[in-house]
Amino acid sequence: MKKILKFSALLTVLFFAFSACERPDNNDPDGNDVNNNPKERVIVYKIGNNEYRQTLATEGQWDAMLDVLCNQVQSGSKVTFFNMNQTTYFQNNESGGTKAAKTFSTTNRDEMKAWMKKMEEEGRTVVVTYDNGTWNGKAYAFAPPATTLNNIIGTWHFSCSVVSHIDPNGALINSDHYAPENGGGSMYYTFYDNGTMTLTFNAMDGTVATDNSTWNLTDEGKLNCELLPNNGLWDVNWITNNTMIISRSDLGTEEGDILYQLQFDRE
């Protein structure tokens, strides 16, 4: 029989884990945008209601994938995508930068494709449709509150955290990666429609630690919950019935700019 523990300091696990293993960045320091230039992306995307993930290694592969997505849009599907990999820093994340949704319409496919590339570079979630010869795009820094509210209720498996350190020029220095399963445990966040939530940690020895709190969304859609790491407001970059990706940043710290990302899978 599992032993149930009340553990108010549960998030200490996460804070220490943020200094886990270091992963070097493989970006080209010269920033050359050529087709064979290595640039890793992990694109989560939806075609209609179907969700997929694709790992890409070069700019050429990304260009080819954008063509495939445009073909799907032109054939009548709604396409949504987001780059989960933080090899691209949020260029719109500096002080004074706008996080308002951006829209774009054109009758030119190449113009739409170029806009999609630019929005991906800004770390946005991009939605593209096609109607009567016109391409329509919308790009979010974080999901609209209604989208989050429609999807967040339920239990989410905490998959991993990624903490990225950014130099003064906006380039990725390195990333620290942590997944609870690497230490033999597992973590789950359960959000209830009454504004309460439960955090559950299953240890490898069979014990279970829980903590309870409340959660809410700000008017602009930021997720607020004290049981999330760093006690900050989190941007909901991507949320569907299957996947949730949230992020936040600390700018101008003694260590430079730091970008945090948490990834969850629906339980």
Side-chain angles (χ1 to χ4, degrees), residues 152-192:
I152 195 171
I153 303 304
T155 298
W156 294 90
H157 168 237
F158 173 55
S159 175
C160 68
S161 67
V162 183
V163 183
S164 299
H165 302 266
I166 313 299
D167 73 13
N169 296 318
L172 183 67
I173 301 172
N174 59 59
S175 292
D176 301 326
H177 180 271
Y178 166 72
E181 276 76 6
N182 290 344
S186 60
M187 296 181 68
Y188 298 88
Y189 284 78
T190 301
F191 295 88
Y192 300 100

Side-chain angles (χ1 to χ4, degrees), residues 24 30 50 83 96 123 127 148 156 174 191 195 229 242 254 266:
D30 296 324
N50 298 315
N83 182 8
V127 184
T148 300
W156 294 90
N174 59 59
F191 295 88
N242 304 310
E254 291 183 358
R266 176 80 70 179

Side-chain angles (χ1 to χ4, degrees), residues 26 33 56 66 72 96 161 182 263:
N26 292 321
D33 187 14
L56 308 173
L66 284 172
Q72 291 291 328
S161 67
N182 290 344
Q263 298 175 19

Side-chain angles (χ1 to χ4, degrees), residues 127-231:
V127 184
V128 183
T129 58
Y130 184 81
D131 182 43
N132 293 325
T134 299
W135 300 81
N136 298 293
K138 198 161 192 175
Y140 301 101
F142 40 82
T147 300
T148 300
L149 289 172
N150 286 339
N151 288 281
I152 195 171
I153 303 304
T155 298
W156 294 90
H157 168 237
F158 173 55
S159 175
C160 68
S161 67
V162 183
V163 183
S164 299
H165 302 266
I166 313 299
D167 73 13
N169 296 318
L172 183 67
I173 301 172
N174 59 59
S175 292
D176 301 326
H177 180 271
Y178 166 72
E181 276 76 6
N182 290 344
S186 60
M187 296 181 68
Y188 298 88
Y189 284 78
T190 301
F191 295 88
Y192 300 100
D193 58 9
N194 64 359
T196 62
M197 62 84 59
T198 299
L199 174 59
T200 304
F201 179 77
N202 299 303
M204 63 183 302
D205 63 0
T207 59
V208 179
T210 66
D211 207 348
N212 299 292
S213 184
T214 59
W215 69 275
N216 67 280
L217 294 181
T218 66
D219 290 341
E220 60 182 1
K222 289 179 179 287
L223 179 58
N224 181 29
C225 177
E226 67 179 8
L227 293 184
L228 291 170
N230 294 46
N231 294 321

Side-chain angles (χ1 to χ4, degrees), residues 102 114-124 126 139:
K102 296 184 178 182
W115 182 81
M116 292 163 71
K117 284 185 176 181
K118 186 175 187 299
M119 294 302 99
E120 181 270 337
E121 289 173 356
E122 293 185 3
R124 294 176 177 267
V126 181

